[in-house]
Amino acid sequence: MHTWQQQQQQQQNLDWLMKRLSVLPQQCILLMTCLLMALEAVPIDIDKTKVKGEGHIEGEKVESPDTGLYYDEYLRQVIDVLETDKHFREKLQTADIEEIKSGKLSRELDLVSHHVRTRLDELKRQEVARLRMLIKAKMDSVQDTGIDHQALLKQFEHLNHQNPDTFEPKDLDMLIKAATSDLENYDKTRHEEFKKYEMMKEHERREYLKTLDEEKRQREESKFEEMKKKHGDHPKVHHPGSKDQLKEVWEEADGLDPNEFDPKTFFKLHDVNNDGFLDEQELEALFTKELEKVYDPKNEEDDMVEMEEERLRMREHVMNEVDINKDRLVTLEEFLRATEKKEFLEPDSWETLDQQQLFTEEELKEFESHISQQEDELRKKAEDLQKQKEELQRQHDQLQAQKQELQQVVKQMEQKKLQQGNPPAGPAGELKFQPPGEHKVGDAPKHPAGGDQPLPPGHVQEPAARTDQVHP
């Protein structure tokens, strides 16, 4: 069977499963969506009316979107392997909410085939090795020693750190719970990080102004206001999810006649993986045209970080308005029902980020106070390090002075010995040279016969002649 045919068969199974999951609470549906759906990243500006009915190219890889989790690759690889086991896939299709919450589904892992378990074991060892490498890199950056990898692995909640070599039912259960919790908090975390980003920008701008004289400060303020005005001078942004906004995509991105706009056809055109749902990535793609009205990467006054925050706000708004069962997926039924509302035909105006107050002065002051506290802590650490450096330098200078003093004493002692006629001594006390006429013991020269050498037995040495004797 061709690759695209296999994908179509798999997608039919997933469609059936998603229908069952449509009645489940948000957290479980969210998880199953992320774990089971293979999504294609297809550009929104492709005219699908010209390619409708064409199958996937054989051998083409269908990429699933990045969830934003730090263990995203591990999560997707585990699901890919589990989907290859027929027994587990069938159990997953018939599982209810209680089985998922109680962990009963995870225990089905004991019944999967041996090669699936072997592959899962390998994936877990790779993930543990990756986490250990990250831990080591972080510890090395602060020059820490004696790293207890096993203890530090406890901070990762998506796998069982007590058993780093094999993938067990507990691992699957932990992975499901971690992914559910992390994905639910993902958007909230992104909003908080963006707010900090904006406050830091304003904080740095104000700090920079303090370093300027009055004339330069006024010029800088004028430039800042001019940039804000230039950024805000953009075409009208349609309300996300409204008829006007969707018709603009229909006309400009899809290349279709705006007078023939049809919500049902629009839904099918932008359900890029044909799974019967508009997921978050497919919805975000619908806002590209609106965002291009406000943001241009070539313009100095346009911040691309703000553009992504705007995209996130638009997607969240549409989900809140259209996603009735809060499963973070929009069905055709939900989509068509939304097009019948008054808000779809006569929406309120949409306020972009430049029209909103992102933070208050009180929040900025609190943020700056926190920054100031961090700077004080860093300054204190720097001062402590400087004191340690100065102390080490003082000890070094002291040792150098002692060394020079000892060298001077040794030099004076050698000079004194030379003045007293004693040759200077070496490191072990030996003489560096012998005075004239003196020899070391054992180095006496050999004497000729008749000298001081012992005589053979029987011979008597004659007394030496006295030099003071007077001869006739």
Side-chain angles (χ1 to χ4, degrees):
M1 183 180 292
H2 295 296
T3 302
W4 70 268
Q5 292 176 324
Q6 295 174 341
Q7 293 171 346
Q8 290 293 328
Q9 181 64 39
Q10 182 185 37
Q11 195 61 58
Q12 291 176 2
N13 294 334
L14 296 179
D15 290 344
W16 181 88
L17 174 60
M18 293 310 302
K19 291 178 181 178
R20 286 180 52 83
L21 291 175
S22 62
V23 297
L24 300 182
Q26 175 184 357
Q27 60 182 17
C28 295
I29 296 176
L30 165 64
L31 175 64
M32 292 297 102
T33 301
C34 296
L35 298 186
L36 300 178
M37 295 182 62
L39 304 175
E40 293 178 278
V42 179
I44 193 64
D45 57 354
I46 292 179
D47 187 354
K48 291 181 67 176
T49 60
K50 299 180 181 179
V51 296
K52 189 174 181 180
E54 295 182 5
H56 293 286
I57 299 174
E58 184 174 356
E60 180 183 7
K61 184 178 180 181
V62 179
E63 296 289 346
S64 58
D66 193 327
T67 62
L69 303 177
Y70 67 90
Y71 49 90
D72 173 77
E73 182 69 16
Y74 175 65
L75 173 66
R76 290 189 288 111
Q77 289 177 338
V78 168
I79 298 306
D80 288 343
V81 172
L82 287 174
E83 284 183 340
T84 63
D85 187 86
K86 181 180 178 181
H87 169 78
F88 190 87
R89 186 167 61 249
E90 291 175 350
K91 285 292 183 181
L92 185 60
Q93 292 175 349
T94 57
D96 57 25
I97 180 60
E98 293 302 325
E99 289 177 322
I100 296 175
K101 292 175 63 176
S102 65
K104 183 178 180 181
L105 178 64
S106 299
R107 291 193 290 271
E108 294 294 331
L109 186 68
D110 292 331
L111 303 178
V112 301
S113 60
H114 175 70
H115 76 277
V116 170
R117 291 298 294 271
T118 302
R119 179 57 182 149
L120 291 173
D121 292 347
E122 181 182 352
L123 289 176
K124 182 177 180 181
R125 287 192 292 268
Q126 292 174 357
E127 177 69 358
V128 170
R130 183 183 73 89
L131 296 177
R132 284 175 172 169
M133 180 182 67
L134 292 176
I135 292 172
K136 185 178 186 302
K138 182 178 180 180
M139 294 299 108
D140 289 347
S141 66
V142 295
Q143 298 181 348
D144 198 357
T145 56
I147 301 174
D148 186 355
H149 291 97
Q150 195 65 18
L152 291 174
L153 280 172
K154 293 179 181 180
Q155 64 184 299
F156 303 108
E157 300 179 351
H158 65 286
L159 51 73
N160 180 16
H161 62 87
Q162 296 178 344
N163 181 11
D165 297 319
T166 58
F167 191 97
E168 303 296 336
K170 184 177 180 179
D171 288 285
L172 182 58
D173 189 46
M174 293 179 68
L175 184 59
I176 290 174
K177 292 178 179 178
T180 302
S181 175
D182 292 341
L183 287 172
E184 286 178 344
N185 296 321
Y186 184 60
D187 287 347
K188 180 181 178 182
T189 301
R190 284 181 59 184
H191 288 309
E192 292 174 352
E193 291 301 320
F194 173 75
K195 188 175 182 178
K196 291 180 182 178
Y197 168 79
E198 288 294 320
M199 289 192 291
M200 179 59 76
K201 278 203 316 182
E202 179 62 17
H203 168 71
E204 292 178 346
R205 189 186 74 84
R206 294 185 181 185
E207 290 298 310
Y208 172 67
L209 292 176
K210 293 179 182 179
T211 64
L212 305 178
D213 57 37
E214 185 63 25
E215 182 180 354
K216 291 182 179 179
R217 183 162 54 251
Q218 289 181 358
R219 287 202 304 266
E220 194 67 27
E221 288 281 20
S222 298
K223 180 182 177 182
F224 176 73
E225 293 299 326
E226 182 182 351
M227 298 277 282
K228 284 179 60 178
K229 183 179 179 181
K230 188 177 180 181
H231 173 69
D233 186 16
H234 53 71
K236 177 184 177 181
V237 176
H238 294 302
H239 196 94
S242 67
K243 183 177 181 179
D244 290 338
Q245 190 258 315
L246 299 184
K247 282 184 66 176
E248 189 173 61
V249 175
W250 173 276
E251 179 180 5
E252 297 186 13
D254 300 332
L256 301 176
D257 187 348
N259 297 321
E260 298 179 359
F261 175 77
D262 178 61
K264 185 174 182 180
T265 303
F266 182 90
F267 182 94
K268 293 183 177 180
L269 281 174
H270 295 280
D271 175 18
V272 294
N273 59 356
N274 299 316
D275 62 357
F277 301 92
L278 291 181
D279 57 57
E280 294 180 345
Q281 288 74 29
E282 291 166 336
L283 279 177
E284 289 183 356
L286 298 178
F287 312 134
T288 300
K289 290 296 178 181
E290 299 302 314
L291 295 171
E292 288 176 350
K293 298 177 182 178
V294 186
Y295 299 95
D296 186 343
K298 298 178 182 179
N299 295 337
E300 182 183 0
E301 67 273 10
D302 297 337
D303 189 336
M304 295 301 103
V305 176
E306 293 179 359
M307 183 186 75
E308 292 307 316
E309 175 68 9
E310 192 77 73
R311 189 192 303 274
L312 175 59
R313 291 178 62 240
M314 289 180 172
R315 185 254 293 168
E316 286 183 318
H317 174 77
V318 173
M319 278 294 187
N320 290 333
E321 294 291 325
V322 181
D323 183 20
I324 299 175
N325 60 0
K326 305 303 178 184
D327 62 353
R328 300 178 77 131
L329 294 168
V330 177
T331 65
L332 176 60
E333 181 182 357
E334 290 173 329
F335 183 78
L336 294 178
R337 187 178 301 178
T339 62
E340 298 172 357
K341 297 180 180 179
K342 180 181 179 181
E343 292 80 4
F344 180 76
L345 301 174
E346 301 176 5
D348 297 330
S349 60
W350 176 258
E351 290 187 354
T352 54
L353 287 172
D354 56 284
Q355 298 173 305
Q356 294 187 338
Q357 184 179 13
L358 302 178
F359 51 85
T360 64
E361 280 295 322
E362 290 74 16
E363 290 175 324
L364 180 59
K365 288 181 180 179
E366 183 179 354
F367 177 77
E368 289 181 326
S369 175
H370 180 67
I371 293 295
S372 177
Q373 181 180 355
Q374 290 181 326
E375 291 176 347
D376 290 340
E377 292 176 356
L378 291 175
R379 190 179 300 110
K380 183 178 179 181
K381 290 181 179 179
E383 291 174 355
D384 292 341
L385 290 174
Q386 181 63 28
K387 289 180 180 179
Q388 294 178 14
K389 178 182 177 181
E390 293 174 355
E391 176 63 20
L392 290 174
Q393 184 63 44
R394 187 190 66 79
Q395 294 178 4
H396 174 74
D397 295 341
Q398 185 178 3
L399 290 174
Q400 286 294 110
Q402 292 177 355
K403 178 180 177 181
Q404 294 176 0
E405 183 178 351
L406 290 174
Q407 289 176 343
Q408 187 65 24
V409 170
V410 171
K411 184 176 180 180
Q412 292 175 356
M413 291 178 63
E414 291 181 348
Q415 291 177 351
K416 186 175 182 181
K417 288 181 180 180
L418 288 174
Q419 292 174 356
Q420 294 176 350
N422 296 327
E430 72 277 7
L431 297 179
K432 289 186 176 181
F433 63 89
Q434 298 292 338
E438 295 186 9
H439 302 280
K440 293 182 180 180
V441 178
D443 292 341
K446 295 181 180 180
H447 297 279
D452 294 336
Q453 294 294 328
L455 296 176
H459 290 268
V460 179
Q461 182 178 1
E462 295 182 358
R466 294 179 57 184
T467 57
D468 59 346
Q469 183 176 0
V470 181
H471 296 277

